[in-house]
Amino acid sequence: MARDSSELEYVRLSQGVRAAVRFHMQECNMSRAQLAREMGVTPSRITQILSGDENLTLRTLGSLAACLDGRFVVELVPNGARAAAAPDNSSRSEPANSGR
């Protein structure tokens, strides 16, 4: 069962990344060839990334974000019954920078 949910989560993440990259490419009016030049890779590498068959590294995600003038935001949230029992942290603010 864990393997099935792991595979589903992988597919969900992969689809989300691809959709975000395509959206930001459109917003930046950037072609695959232009993105490839910015990242220092071949256009076929961009096609691989957008195909969803690639297990992308954090370095690749960072490069995509930088070249598209954006950033990825990661959040791990509980599923199902655990989500209902989890405390609501939405009103909690981040700690202030202490200047150290």
Side-chain angles (χ1 to χ4, degrees):
M1 173 133 154
R3 182 168 169 80
D4 289 341
S5 61
S6 173
E7 184 63 25
L8 287 173
E9 185 62 17
Y10 170 77
V11 169
R12 188 192 67 73
L13 287 167
S14 178
Q15 289 173 345
V17 166
R18 288 191 335 257
V21 169
R22 284 190 183 108
F23 174 81
H24 285 280
M25 285 174 69
Q26 269 189 323
E27 288 293 302
C28 294
N29 199 27
M30 187 177 288
S31 69
R32 290 179 186 204
Q34 290 169 315
L35 181 56
R37 273 194 303 278
E38 289 285 324
M39 290 180 65
V41 299
T42 63
S44 64
R45 176 67 179 129
I46 301 301
T47 299
Q48 288 174 334
I49 289 169
L50 295 175
S51 75
D53 295 332
E54 293 291 305
N55 189 1
L56 302 176
T57 65
L58 294 175
R59 188 172 312 279
T60 298
L61 292 173
S63 181
L64 284 164
C67 291
L68 294 169
D69 194 28
R71 65 187 178 102
F72 287 98
V73 178
V74 178
E75 183 177 23
L76 179 63
V77 296
N79 284 320
R82 284 186 28 214
D88 180 10
N89 293 327
S90 61
S91 63
R92 193 175 83 195
S93 62
E94 293 185 24
N97 184 351
S98 63
R100 288 187 243 171

